[in-house]
mmCIF file of all heavy atoms in Angstrom:
data_model
loop_
_atom_site.group_PDB
_atom_site.id
_atom_site.type_symbol
_atom_site.label_atom_id
_atom_site.label_comp_id
_atom_site.label_asym_id
_atom_site.label_seq_id
_atom_site.Cartn_x
_atom_site.Cartn_y
_atom_site.Cartn_z
ATOM 1 N N ARG J 10 -12.828 9.344 -24.509
ATOM 2 C CA ARG J 10 -13.705 9.452 -23.308
ATOM 3 C C ARG J 10 -14.674 8.323 -23.171
ATOM 4 O O ARG J 10 -15.001 7.859 -22.073
ATOM 5 C CB ARG J 10 -14.420 10.815 -23.357
ATOM 6 C CG ARG J 10 -13.515 12.001 -23.315
ATOM 7 C CD ARG J 10 -13.016 12.282 -21.948
ATOM 8 N NE ARG J 10 -12.111 13.443 -22.025
ATOM 9 C CZ ARG J 10 -11.249 13.690 -21.111
ATOM 10 N NH1 ARG J 10 -11.128 12.901 -20.070
ATOM 11 N NH2 ARG J 10 -10.431 14.762 -21.220
ATOM 12 N N GLU J 18 -14.435 -1.549 -12.871
ATOM 13 C CA GLU J 18 -13.471 -1.852 -11.763
ATOM 14 C C GLU J 18 -12.740 -3.118 -12.110
ATOM 15 O O GLU J 18 -11.543 -3.288 -11.807
ATOM 16 C CB GLU J 18 -14.206 -1.984 -10.457
ATOM 17 C CG GLU J 18 -14.813 -0.671 -9.985
ATOM 18 C CD GLU J 18 -13.782 0.436 -9.793
ATOM 19 O OE1 GLU J 18 -12.747 0.154 -9.136
ATOM 20 O OE2 GLU J 18 -13.980 1.567 -10.289
ATOM 21 N N ASP J 20 -11.972 -4.269 -15.041
ATOM 22 C CA ASP J 20 -10.971 -3.917 -16.056
ATOM 23 C C ASP J 20 -9.767 -3.320 -15.406
ATOM 24 O O ASP J 20 -8.604 -3.651 -15.750
ATOM 25 C CB ASP J 20 -11.539 -2.885 -17.053
ATOM 26 C CG ASP J 20 -12.594 -3.436 -18.015
ATOM 27 O OD1 ASP J 20 -12.659 -4.657 -18.224
ATOM 28 O OD2 ASP J 20 -13.494 -2.654 -18.398
ATOM 29 N N ILE J 21 -9.985 -2.439 -14.456
ATOM 30 C CA ILE J 21 -8.860 -1.725 -13.764
ATOM 31 C C ILE J 21 -8.050 -2.741 -12.996
ATOM 32 O O ILE J 21 -6.798 -2.760 -13.054
ATOM 33 C CB ILE J 21 -9.382 -0.687 -12.825
ATOM 34 C CG1 ILE J 21 -10.036 0.498 -13.683
ATOM 35 C CG2 ILE J 21 -8.322 -0.116 -11.959
ATOM 36 C CD1 ILE J 21 -10.890 1.419 -12.888
ATOM 37 N N ARG J 23 -7.790 -6.031 -13.580
ATOM 38 C CA ARG J 23 -7.112 -6.884 -14.557
ATOM 39 C C ARG J 23 -5.894 -6.167 -15.097
ATOM 40 O O ARG J 23 -4.804 -6.714 -15.196
ATOM 41 C CB ARG J 23 -8.045 -7.273 -15.657
ATOM 42 C CG ARG J 23 -7.381 -8.153 -16.765
ATOM 43 C CD ARG J 23 -8.320 -8.396 -17.942
ATOM 44 N NE ARG J 23 -9.003 -7.300 -18.388
ATOM 45 C CZ ARG J 23 -8.510 -6.321 -19.174
ATOM 46 N NH1 ARG J 23 -7.253 -6.366 -19.531
ATOM 47 N NH2 ARG J 23 -9.245 -5.337 -19.611
ATOM 48 N N ASP J 31 -0.405 -4.272 -9.048
ATOM 49 C CA ASP J 31 -1.383 -4.722 -8.076
ATOM 50 C C ASP J 31 -0.717 -5.366 -6.826
ATOM 51 O O ASP J 31 -1.306 -6.082 -6.091
ATOM 52 C CB ASP J 31 -2.338 -5.717 -8.650
ATOM 53 C CG ASP J 31 -1.701 -7.030 -9.013
ATOM 54 O OD1 ASP J 31 -0.497 -7.013 -9.316
ATOM 55 O OD2 ASP J 31 -2.379 -8.053 -9.005
ATOM 56 N N ALA J 38 4.534 0.356 2.961
ATOM 57 C CA ALA J 38 4.887 1.682 2.411
ATOM 58 C C ALA J 38 4.471 2.796 3.417
ATOM 59 O O ALA J 38 3.589 2.600 4.210
ATOM 60 C CB ALA J 38 4.199 1.928 1.062
ATOM 61 N N THR J 49 -10.621 0.917 -0.630
ATOM 62 C CA THR J 49 -10.995 0.927 0.840
ATOM 63 C C THR J 49 -12.212 1.801 1.054
ATOM 64 O O THR J 49 -13.087 1.485 1.860
ATOM 65 C CB THR J 49 -9.820 1.399 1.669
ATOM 66 O OG1 THR J 49 -8.705 0.540 1.518
ATOM 67 C CG2 THR J 49 -10.217 1.466 3.169
ATOM 68 N N LYS J 55 -13.910 7.847 -10.630
ATOM 69 C CA LYS J 55 -14.603 9.150 -10.856
ATOM 70 C C LYS J 55 -15.109 9.747 -9.549
ATOM 71 O O LYS J 55 -14.931 10.947 -9.338
ATOM 72 C CB LYS J 55 -15.833 8.896 -11.785
ATOM 73 C CG LYS J 55 -16.549 10.163 -12.127
ATOM 74 C CD LYS J 55 -17.694 9.961 -13.119
ATOM 75 C CE LYS J 55 -18.412 11.188 -13.394
ATOM 76 N NZ LYS J 55 -19.593 11.023 -14.272
ATOM 77 N N GLU J 59 -13.789 13.246 -7.953
ATOM 78 C CA GLU J 59 -14.754 14.385 -7.695
ATOM 79 C C GLU J 59 -14.659 14.757 -6.181
ATOM 80 O O GLU J 59 -14.656 15.967 -5.907
ATOM 81 C CB GLU J 59 -16.155 13.919 -8.023
ATOM 82 C CG GLU J 59 -16.391 13.808 -9.516
ATOM 83 C CD GLU J 59 -17.764 13.319 -9.884
ATOM 84 O OE1 GLU J 59 -18.525 12.876 -8.969
ATOM 85 O OE2 GLU J 59 -18.081 13.288 -11.080
ATOM 86 N N MET J 60 -14.511 13.828 -5.303
ATOM 87 C CA MET J 60 -14.450 14.122 -3.851
ATOM 88 C C MET J 60 -13.206 14.949 -3.555
ATOM 89 O O MET J 60 -13.294 15.904 -2.778
ATOM 90 C CB MET J 60 -14.409 12.829 -3.027
ATOM 91 C CG MET J 60 -14.333 13.126 -1.540
ATOM 92 S SD MET J 60 -14.241 11.618 -0.549
ATOM 93 C CE MET J 60 -12.512 11.234 -0.659
ATOM 94 N N ARG J 75 1.735 5.857 -13.970
ATOM 95 C CA ARG J 75 2.248 6.619 -15.082
ATOM 96 C C ARG J 75 3.009 7.866 -14.672
ATOM 97 O O ARG J 75 3.815 8.383 -15.408
ATOM 98 C CB ARG J 75 1.176 6.993 -16.060
ATOM 99 C CG ARG J 75 0.584 5.785 -16.799
ATOM 100 C CD ARG J 75 -0.467 6.215 -17.766
ATOM 101 N NE ARG J 75 -0.916 5.031 -18.489
ATOM 102 C CZ ARG J 75 -2.111 4.943 -18.977
ATOM 103 N NH1 ARG J 75 -3.006 5.950 -18.870
ATOM 104 N NH2 ARG J 75 -2.472 3.867 -19.644
ATOM 105 N N LEU J 78 4.272 10.158 -7.471
ATOM 106 C CA LEU J 78 3.458 10.861 -6.507
ATOM 107 C C LEU J 78 4.285 11.788 -5.720
ATOM 108 O O LEU J 78 5.217 11.391 -5.018
ATOM 109 C CB LEU J 78 2.815 9.795 -5.549
ATOM 110 C CG LEU J 78 1.959 8.684 -6.218
ATOM 111 C CD1 LEU J 78 1.465 7.710 -5.173
ATOM 112 C CD2 LEU J 78 0.832 9.327 -6.996
ATOM 113 N N ASP J 79 3.984 13.074 -5.849
ATOM 114 C CA ASP J 79 4.815 14.064 -5.083
ATOM 115 C C ASP J 79 4.387 14.022 -3.586
ATOM 116 O O ASP J 79 3.430 13.363 -3.210
ATOM 117 C CB ASP J 79 4.654 15.487 -5.678
ATOM 118 C CG ASP J 79 3.270 16.045 -5.586
ATOM 119 O OD1 ASP J 79 2.548 15.871 -4.574
ATOM 120 O OD2 ASP J 79 2.877 16.687 -6.549
ATOM 121 N N PRO J 80 5.157 14.674 -2.738
ATOM 122 C CA PRO J 80 4.897 14.571 -1.274
ATOM 123 C C PRO J 80 3.465 14.998 -0.881
ATOM 124 O O PRO J 80 2.909 14.434 0.061
ATOM 125 C CB PRO J 80 5.941 15.509 -0.681
ATOM 126 C CG PRO J 80 7.071 15.448 -1.656
ATOM 127 C CD PRO J 80 6.380 15.332 -3.001
ATOM 128 N N ALA J 81 2.898 15.994 -1.558
ATOM 129 C CA ALA J 81 1.519 16.414 -1.204
ATOM 130 C C ALA J 81 0.533 15.300 -1.489
ATOM 131 O O ALA J 81 -0.397 15.070 -0.757
ATOM 132 C CB ALA J 81 1.159 17.674 -2.000
ATOM 133 N N LEU J 85 -1.859 13.281 1.114
ATOM 134 C CA LEU J 85 -3.321 13.102 0.913
ATOM 135 C C LEU J 85 -3.731 11.585 1.002
ATOM 136 O O LEU J 85 -4.683 11.288 1.672
ATOM 137 C CB LEU J 85 -3.688 13.655 -0.477
ATOM 138 C CG LEU J 85 -5.156 13.407 -0.910
ATOM 139 C CD1 LEU J 85 -6.126 14.102 0.011
ATOM 140 C CD2 LEU J 85 -5.382 13.846 -2.324
ATOM 141 N N ALA J 103 -20.176 14.364 2.369
ATOM 142 C CA ALA J 103 -20.900 13.427 3.244
ATOM 143 C C ALA J 103 -20.499 12.035 2.923
ATOM 144 O O ALA J 103 -20.300 11.697 1.746
ATOM 145 C CB ALA J 103 -22.441 13.618 3.068
#
Side-chain angles (χ1 to χ4, degrees):
R10 299 281 180 202
E18 293 300 312
D20 293 332
I21 294 166
R23 178 184 46 76
D31 69 332
T49 299
K55 183 178 178 184
E59 288 174 354
M60 180 182 82
R75 290 185 177 150
L78 304 177
D79 65 39
L85 173 63

